[in-house]
Structures are given as C-alpha cells and as structure tokens.
Amino acid sequence: MNIHEYQAKELLEKFDVATTRGKVASTLEEAEQIAHELGDVDIVVKAQIHAGGRGKGSFKNGFKGGVHVHKTPDEVRDVAAKMLGQILVTHQTGPAGRLVSKVLIAESADIAREIYFAVLLDRATAAPLIVASTEGGVEIEAVAAESPEKIIREPIDPLAGLQPCQARKLAKQLGFESSQLKNASKLFEGLYRTFIRDPEIAAMRDVAEEDPREVEASKHGLNYIGLAGDIACLVNGAGLAMATMDIIKFYGGEPANFLDVGGGATEEQVTEAFKILIADKHVKAILVNIFGGIMKVDIIAQGIINAAKSIKLSVPLIVRLEGTNVEKGKQLLKESCVALIAADDLADAAQKAVAAAKGK
C-alpha cells in the first residue's frame, strides 16, 4: 500500500504516535501559511512523491534536491515554488521522474539517535513480526547482511496483539533508559495499532502516482504490471504469467506487461484486459496463453471475440489454449473469423509472438 509521507504522518498522529508538527501544501500560499503557523523554528520542505531518494534527487527545471531546510516563511515559499508542478527525478523514479503536486511543510527534528523499527508480516508464520535494530534505518539491509546479530525479532500473536511486556522488552533491547521506557512503549504500541488498520490506509491511495493502466486494471479486478517490452501477455495464473514472460525472453522478445486475469475471470474482464493491452502504443503483438482449470477456455475465447468486436486489433494476436472446454473454445474462435495466429504449445506461441513483434 503506497501512501505519501504526509499521509503517514496524519495516520500516525491518529494512533497517538509522536511526529513532528507540520502539514501538506499544494499551493505556495498554503506553504507560506503553514510556515507562519510553525513559528520560529527550522522548517523542512519535502517533495511528496511515491519514491525514495528525494533529498538527492534533481528537478528537471534544474533545482537540486527534493528536501530542503529553511528558517522563514518567505524562504519556504521560494523553495516550494521550485518544487510544486515540477518533475523530480530520483534513483527510484527512473529518468521520467514524478510530478510533485504536494509538499510537506514540517518542523525539522534534531536527531539525537536513530533506531530501526518495523512491523512486518512474517510469511513463515502468517503473523505479524516486529523487526528492530539499534543501528538505525538508513542501511538496514547492510546491517542484516553484515551483522545479523544486531537485528531484533519479536513475533506477535495476531489474536492478542502487541503486549505491554513485549513493548517494554523491545524498548530495553533498543537501549532506551528507564525514564524513556514508558514513552518508547507507547510509541511501539501506536505503530502496531497503525499497522493493523489496513482499510484506512487503502483509502489513502493516490492514483496520480500510479501507472494509469494499472489503475484501470484494478477497477476490473485484473492483476496488471506494465513493463518496457513490446509483446503483451494475457494469462490466467501468476505462475503461468511468469513462465510466459520468461519464455518470451528466451526466444529473444521482451514482455510489455504482466497481466493475470485470474482463475475466475468473466467475459467482461477479458474484454477490459484487451482494451488495456491495446492502449499501450509500444505493443506490437499480443500473446494469449490460457490453461483452463477453474477458468473455462470457452469463456476466454468468448472474451477474445467480444474484444475483437469492440476494439480494432491493430497488432498480431497469438493464442494458445489448453484445458477445460478447449475444443469448444477453439470452435468459437474459428466460427467468429477473428484474425489470430494459433499456437500448439507455449514454446510455439512464444516463438510466433516474437516473430510477429519483429514483423516476420
């Protein structure tokens, strides 16, 4: 669940977790007003995008850094003017960068000591797990690899939740003094309460930060991830989708997406999936690879027919069908006169898709 930093602050405050004072601004006037409200303190201005490395990033207008500290409202307004409406490029955004439409204006914190504290879902136990370290959070991956003994792990019973004794134990392990244990425990308990409120976090979704194709796919219950290739894939099942992408690359092609219609897709979902694939102007061929188990092959076939009727397929369509009702599905496609290239198996389908994308 991707949310902005300012949203995280608001959420943490709701669950009584200590944060620095501040608000989000989408205009220069708002930025200046918030700075006035914060008073005579050092004020940090932070670009709000779904990407890390903002402080070391660069704007396409030439301004350096998505995080700056200033003292006066006028300075805050000036730096906000160089961020709002501009494209910020970081090591996580890629060269395209992200549009900054909001900035966080907050009181700067004097950092006395850093610790790392996270509530995660442990796949092995399917239960929450607290991972913490006295080494701070900047290079926690390096700490885990080089000094694993410095990583603290505290499993949480999902029914009982984080217990007060566990919070105090963690505070002691992290080196807090006796006078600090109460506040540290309160902080940890608030973080855990925040962690288990998934629906509220999901409501903070900012679709402007996401690929429009992925947003559209989610509206129809489709699992879609856009990639940089030119062979679109429509597959049922995540494992089959991964295998399809792998074999496309094996035969010299590049997949344009990961699209899993799932095991119970309807004709409407298949039609919408085709619309999303066709909308990608880089796509030069579409490979449909269906193994019907729960998903009936004839349902997919009817979806292909519906899509062909409502959308002009301007690129070659390669279809490999296998499984439940496969003969019925193939007959439906044959009688529909939809222009397609039939494949006997996955390898054959991948080779034909690669050749079609290359215009052979």
Side-chain angles (χ1 to χ4, degrees):
M1 296 178 183
N2 271 337
I3 63 174
H4 287 290
E5 180 181 9
Y6 77 88
Q7 293 173 313
K9 280 175 60 67
E10 293 171 355
L11 193 64
L12 291 170
E13 289 168 2
K14 184 175 181 178
F15 290 98
D16 208 20
V17 178
T19 64
T20 55
R21 294 183 302 141
K23 296 178 183 178
V24 68
S26 54
T27 68
L28 301 183
E29 292 73 22
E30 288 176 347
E32 186 176 7
Q33 178 59 38
I34 296 167
H36 276 294
E37 293 172 1
L38 291 174
D40 186 22
V41 296
D42 288 337
I43 299 171
V44 61
V45 183
K46 306 181 76 172
Q48 298 295 284
I49 59 172
H50 285 177
R54 290 169 293 166
K56 295 181 180 180
S58 297
F59 288 86
K60 289 192 174 182
N61 63 3
F63 188 58
K64 302 295 183 182
V67 180
H68 288 261
V69 178
H70 292 278
K71 192 74 174 178
T72 69
D74 286 343
E75 291 173 329
V76 168
R77 182 187 178 104
D78 288 345
V79 75
K82 297 172 183 176
M83 293 184 181
L84 287 171
Q86 302 298 322
I87 302 295
L88 176 59
V89 179
T90 78
H91 71 280
Q92 288 191 2
T93 66
R98 293 281 180 86
L99 175 67
V100 176
S101 58
K102 293 180 174 65
V103 290
L104 174 63
I105 312 297
E107 181 179 0
S108 180
D110 292 325
I111 301 171
R113 186 169 71 99
E114 290 186 41
I115 66 166
Y116 178 84
F117 188 96
V119 188
L120 311 173
L121 187 61
D122 185 0
R123 294 182 179 181
T125 62
L129 173 71
I130 288 177
V131 177
S133 176
T134 57
E135 296 302 301
V138 178
E139 296 290 343
I140 192 64
E141 293 86 357
V143 174
E146 298 168 10
S147 307
E149 72 281 359
K150 295 181 179 179
I151 302 294
I152 301 166
R153 293 175 174 82
E154 182 70 22
I156 306 298
D157 185 317
L159 295 179
L162 176 64
Q163 297 297 296
C165 60
Q166 290 178 295
R168 289 193 298 272
K169 171 186 171 185
L170 285 164
K172 290 178 181 178
Q173 289 176 308
L174 290 168
F176 286 97
E177 298 176 1
S178 298
S179 60
Q180 300 172 318
L181 293 181
K182 183 177 180 180
N183 284 339
S185 298
K186 179 181 177 182
L187 173 71
F188 300 156
E189 290 165 0
L191 289 171
Y192 182 77
R193 289 197 303 274
T194 307
F195 169 79
I196 61 175
R197 299 304 291 269
D198 287 357
E200 293 188 23
I201 300 175
M204 294 180 172
R205 180 184 184 187
D206 183 356
V207 295
E209 287 285 322
E210 301 177 30
D211 186 323
R213 299 168 298 176
E214 296 179 18
V215 175
E216 185 63 24
S218 68
K219 293 178 182 177
H220 303 284
L222 301 169
N223 299 309
Y224 177 94
I225 299 173
L227 302 173
D230 57 10
I231 300 176
C233 308
L234 190 158
V235 187
N236 66 320
L240 188 57
M242 296 297 290
T244 302
M245 293 190 294
D246 285 345
I247 201 166
I248 286 173
K249 291 183 69 70
F250 179 79
Y251 285 111
E254 290 293 335
N257 66 271
F258 170 103
L259 197 160
D260 171 20
V261 298
T266 63
E267 292 179 18
E268 179 185 2
Q269 285 177 302
V270 175
T271 301
E272 293 300 329
F274 267 97
K275 289 180 180 178
I276 293 168
L277 297 181
I278 291 297
D280 187 343
K281 302 304 179 184
H282 296 102
V283 168
K284 296 180 180 178
I286 298 175
L287 171 56
V288 176
N289 182 26
I290 297 297
F291 184 86
I294 298 173
M295 165 60 71
K296 305 296 190 293
V297 172
D298 55 318
I299 297 291
I300 293 290
Q302 192 60 56
I304 294 172
I305 294 169
N306 292 345
K309 289 179 179 179
S310 60
I311 310 166
K312 183 178 180 180
L313 293 177
S314 55
V315 298
L317 174 63
I318 298 87
V319 179
R320 180 256 182 173
L321 302 175
E322 193 56 71
T324 307
N325 294 352
V326 64
E327 294 304 326
K328 184 178 179 181
K330 290 180 177 179
Q331 187 64 29
L332 284 171
L333 290 175
K334 183 178 180 180
E335 294 173 353
S336 71
C337 298
V338 172
L340 57 85
I341 301 170
D344 298 324
D345 53 39
L346 181 50
D348 182 42
Q351 292 178 74
K352 288 178 176 177
V354 172
K358 294 179 178 179
K360 297 180 180 179

